[in-house]
Amino acid sequence: MIGRRVRIALLAAALCLSVAAAFLHVVRTSWFRGQVRERIVREVEQASGGRAEIGAFQFDGGRLTAEVRDFVLHGTEEPGEPPLLRARRISVGLKLVSILRREIDIQSLEIEAPQLRIAVHPDGTTNLPRPAVPRRGPGNAVERFLALAIDRVDVFGGTVECGIEKIELELHGEQLRARLFHQASPQKYLGEVSLRKANLRSPQVPAGPMDISASGELAGDRLAFRLANARTSKSSIGFEGAVADWRSPRLE
């Protein structure tokens, strides 16, 4: 009886090794990289409502890392205008939580030289696209279109341009949690975000390390914050307010 159990265990182990070997072989093929690349573009476009482009894509099955180069996301800007977002390189480190449940978490996110450009038109509208979320409720229902949980975040050499303001920044932090929502009528974006041990390096706003959390909404060219908090080891601050009219910024 014991010998039979040993043979069954050895057979099961051999089967698992064969499946693992086949998986490693598949993830190294150009076909698999092409499938993942198409999936990334499709998911980004569905979540954002914009049009995504990827210059090059690599996936390391052994280390569970994916790297995208020359990433571009177009909003509603006119042809020939700078896109909503451009990044030289995006690297994502994955963490396998459960093989049986097929659960994979994002362990790390590195973004190199991102350029975020929010164009503000004379009528107050922007080039932000409308997320292509499925409608499950009435026209004014709030739909979640993005949820993120990332252990480590690093942003290098980034710029944010909003209206006439342009900010250079680098950001490093841990345990990023973010949820974004969209409301169709009246159209607005709502979000909640938190980040621990955040270091913000910017000539305009140097700060850190600190734990930050905030919720707010974006409607047209008005960004309102509610329940925003920043905590360091020695102090904390909470605030509410809004920035309106990005062509000539006004603080409320």
Side-chain angles (χ1 to χ4, degrees):
M1 180 65 69
I2 296 178
R4 182 180 179 183
R5 290 179 178 175
V6 172
R7 288 196 298 271
I8 293 175
L10 291 174
L11 181 60
L15 180 60
C16 290
L17 289 175
S18 299
V19 171
F23 172 78
L24 291 176
H25 172 72
V26 170
V27 298
R28 291 189 175 101
T29 63
S30 58
W31 173 85
F32 179 81
R33 290 193 296 271
Q35 293 295 312
V36 175
R37 176 176 176 168
E38 292 179 3
R39 180 63 180 271
I40 291 174
V41 171
R42 184 166 63 250
E43 292 294 335
V44 170
E45 291 182 343
Q46 182 175 0
S48 66
R51 180 172 60 87
E53 299 175 5
I54 291 178
F57 172 77
Q58 293 181 344
F59 181 79
D60 188 332
R63 298 182 178 180
L64 286 180
T65 59
E67 182 177 282
V68 171
R69 289 189 174 273
D70 299 325
F71 174 82
V72 176
L73 177 63
H74 296 275
T76 60
E77 60 272 354
E78 297 293 330
E81 292 183 347
L84 172 65
L85 175 64
R86 184 191 303 273
R88 183 185 304 159
R89 182 180 68 89
I90 301 176
S91 178
V92 180
L94 306 176
K95 178 173 61 178
L96 185 60
V97 178
S98 172
I99 296 178
L100 296 179
R101 296 181 180 179
R102 294 183 295 179
E103 293 181 357
I104 296 179
D105 283 353
I106 299 179
Q107 187 171 26
S108 63
L109 174 65
E110 291 185 7
I111 307 178
E112 181 181 329
Q115 300 174 4
L116 176 63
R117 177 183 176 271
I118 301 178
V120 182
H121 307 302
D123 60 357
T125 60
T126 68
N127 61 332
L128 292 172
R130 178 179 299 182
V133 295
R135 305 308 304 173
R136 295 185 295 270
N140 62 345
V142 175
E143 303 279 356
R144 190 181 76 176
F145 66 92
L146 183 63
L148 291 176
I150 304 174
D151 292 347
R152 176 73 190 179
V153 176
D154 294 284
V155 179
F156 303 94
T159 60
V160 177
E161 184 178 352
C162 186
I164 62 174
E165 296 292 327
K166 186 174 183 179
I167 300 175
E168 300 178 359
L169 62 84
E170 287 193 2
L171 177 64
H172 308 276
E174 300 177 0
Q175 298 183 23
L176 171 67
R177 302 293 183 266
R179 296 193 303 164
L180 298 179
F181 305 84
H182 177 257
Q183 178 177 296
S185 179
Q187 182 174 336
K188 66 173 63 176
Y189 301 86
L190 303 98
E192 304 168 355
V193 63
S194 63
L195 183 64
R196 293 197 59 202
K197 299 181 180 179
N199 278 279
L200 178 63
R201 301 173 185 173
S202 168
Q204 293 88 346
V205 191
M210 59 184 174
D211 297 342
I212 59 176
S213 62
S215 62
E217 65 179 46
L218 173 64
D221 63 348
R222 185 177 186 273
L223 176 63
F225 289 98
R226 300 187 306 275
L227 304 177
N229 293 279
R231 298 182 179 89
T232 69
S233 59
K234 298 182 179 180
S235 62
S236 65
I237 184 173
F239 62 92
E240 297 183 0
V243 179
D245 190 6
W246 292 347
R247 294 175 64 87
S248 179
R250 183 179 71 258
L251 181 66
E252 299 176 357

